[in-house]
Amino acid sequence: MSKPLISVRGLTKVFGDFTAVNGINFDVAKGESFGLLGPNGAGKSTTMRILAATSTRTSGTVEILDKDPEKFGPLVRAHLGIVPQEDNLDGELTVTENLFIYGRYFGLPKKFIKAKIEELLEFAQLEEKRDVKVQALSGGMKRRLTIARGLVSEPDILLLDEPTTGLDPQARHILWDRLFRLKEQGVTLVLTTHFMDEAEQLCDRLVVMDKGAIMAEGSPQGLIKQYSSKEVLEVRFGSDRNKEVAPQLSQMCERMETLPDRLLMYTEDGEKLLEQIAAAKLHPTTSLVRRSSLEDVFLRLTGRTLIE
Amino acid sequence: MNTGIDVPQIQRYGALYIASARLKSMSKWKAIIAAVDIGNPLFYLIAVGVGIGVLVEKGSGTSGTNGIKYIAFIAPALLANSAIAGVMDETVFPTIEGFKWRKLFFAQNATPITGRQIALGVYLSALCRAIFSVSVYYLLLIAFNVVEFGSSILLIPIAVLGGGAFGAIILYAAAKIEKDDQFFNILGRLVIMPMFLFSGTFFPLSSMPIYLQPIGWISPLWHATELGREAAFDYGISNLMVAVHLTFLSTLVAIGITLSMRQFERRLAK
Ligand SMILES: Nc1ncnc2c1ncn2[C@@H]1O[C@H](COP(=O)(O)OP(=O)(O)OP(=O)(O)O)[C@@H](O)[C@H]1O
Ligand SMILES: [Mg+2]
């Protein structure tokens, strides 16, 4: 395998006496799409800011394109496209002015940026808003513009911190498609998300983070295979009865998770399990058989759901 | 990889990119800036020229002001004060905004631009504003016949230096504070106002009780005012004092900028 584009070892970040990132390790290969999946406060954004060569670390080593981002910030950032979790566009400037000024910070020639802007307006579907002040855009439009802005410099690595938060389902799917195309062009993607479908769609490989630590690493399918069964049967008996029947049900499957409103039963064959339950004269008010997802992996690893 | 990115070039000129972006932002407020920078001097020149100045001269003639017309005596102070006000507007506000309200600095820092360059860029653009404010003021002084065109042109760089000295320190303070709720109040009432009143603005510092004079000694306004008076009308201060004033102001610039650049870098890297 060729040398990874990003290499992180023992990365730790402490704020005061709080450890936000606690000794994590991972590599990202060129052209790969790599995800950090985790709940609020897991340390995803903190990690991303360090990868972005904007924030300093407390300990550990980080190499991006063979350089320590802390020592060679400008050189590293010249290759990065950074999409922060919180939009920090200049609301007083128009859409095109925002893109233009950002491009200038990379020292790019005016002519190049002007041509690039046309491409990016199309990318972000903001052609009609080109001369509108950013403060007059909707949240989703701002998000798209922030992503487009990260592409002005034609980065080798695109760092996306919750790229689709605030986008409607259609815009999300369009964005996934665009990101996929960028990946095909050889751009390396690193993204955070707490949407498991997004992680499954976009990531070749991901780490599951919780409380500053990495709980597991692998491809979405690999993780599901490793940490969950093929199918999940979700049953509800009403919040009081759930607890009552739980002991009996847990005998019938490989593993069970008791959530406040429902029971998740892990099995290779959901339909068959449901028949068994009916045969035992337990009648759930609702039931649903589905494939295992990263959500289940997360639940298994942390005992908590991803989206509270 | 984009081949058009010339990092050494950005490392050399990054601060100018930031300054030019700031100037562009300022230009969106040009009507207001012009109104303030023309209106403010007009009020002073009229109030002092036809009001207070006449009263002062009726009382003590020009003996208290080394034989200088009262309005002319205070003109260098007003000029330096206008530089200070201009620099303050363009450092404090954009800095708090850049770190906190709109987080624009974080966007700028996501490019090859560094925190140090952002600090310097903000500062340079604030100096541009001071140059504008002071030049307008100077033209009005000429128009109102308060000073004569000639060596008095030195009033412009002197006032800008005074504003720059104050601005460098205030830039650091603005980057340092994280809770901004009382900052503007404290700055306005406990810094700007006393500085304006006790810096030998309206009467020579030496005519104030000795225990109040230290306010003037540490005030960039006083140093710039003294230099300005000397430049405009041979006020009669020694070369040594000229050197002291220049050294004091340049030292503040150097210290303020050094601290600011470090603070910007640190705060962005949190
Ligand atoms: N500047 C800071 N000062 C102090 N604590 C911080 C700072 N930034 C982050 N933290 C803390 O570090 C932890 C991780 O935060 P981080 O933003 O990395 O989480 P996240 O995984 O991105 O969460 P989310 O999904 O909500 O965006 C949180 O507990 C947060 O409060
Ligand atoms: Mg986050």
Side-chain angles (χ1 to χ4, degrees), chain A residues 38-46 48-49 85-86 161-162 192 194:
Chain A
N40 293 140
K44 305 181 298 291
S45 297
T46 306
M48 289 296 264
R49 281 199 299 272
Q85 182 171 354
E86 273 179 70
D161 196 351
E162 298 194 13
T192 77
H194 42 217

Side-chain angles (χ1 to χ4, degrees), chain A residues 24-86:
Chain A
I24 61 171
N25 306 299
F26 61 83
D27 287 331
V28 181
K30 185 166 166 34
E32 194 177 19
S33 169
F34 181 81
L36 302 165
L37 179 69
N40 293 140
K44 305 181 298 291
S45 297
T46 306
T47 306
M48 289 296 264
R49 281 199 299 272
I50 293 168
L51 294 183
T54 53
S55 176
T56 51
R57 58 187 183 267
T58 309
S59 62
T61 60
V62 178
E63 272 195 10
I64 299 175
L65 299 154
D66 286 331
K67 289 187 188 69
D68 179 346
E70 220 163 279
K71 293 205 184 91
F72 299 95
L75 271 173
V76 170
R77 292 197 297 273
H79 297 268
L80 303 181
I82 300 172
V83 179
Q85 182 171 354
E86 273 179 70

Side-chain angles (χ1 to χ4, degrees), chain A residues 13 15 49 54-56 74-75 77-80 82 86-94 97 100-102 104-109 112 133 149 152-154 156, chain B residues 1-11 14 17-18 20-22 24-25 28-29 97 102-104 106-115 265 268-270:
Chain A
K13 175 81 177 185
F15 294 108
R49 281 199 299 272
T54 53
S55 176
T56 51
L75 271 173
R77 292 197 297 273
H79 297 268
L80 303 181
I82 300 172
E86 273 179 70
D87 293 331
N88 50 23
L89 299 158
D90 189 337
E92 285 168 15
L93 302 181
T94 66
E97 283 170 337
F100 187 80
I101 213 158
Y102 201 75
R104 291 295 289 159
Y105 293 146
F106 283 87
L108 294 166
F112 172 87
K133 273 195 188 176
R149 188 182 66 174
V152 168
S153 56
E154 297 186 343
D156 295 323
Chain B
M1 163 64 193
N2 191 309
T3 45
I5 301 176
D6 182 353
V7 176
Q9 168 103 353
I10 304 168
Q11 283 173 322
Y17 298 169
I18 298 294
S20 90
R22 279 292 313 140
K24 200 169 168 195
S25 273
K28 305 223 161 187
W29 302 95
E97 183 176 69
R102 298 200 292 146
K103 303 197 185 294
L104 300 181
F106 293 90
Q108 293 166 343
N109 191 224
T111 72
I113 301 277
T114 64
E265 189 174 44
L268 286 167
K270 266 220 178 114

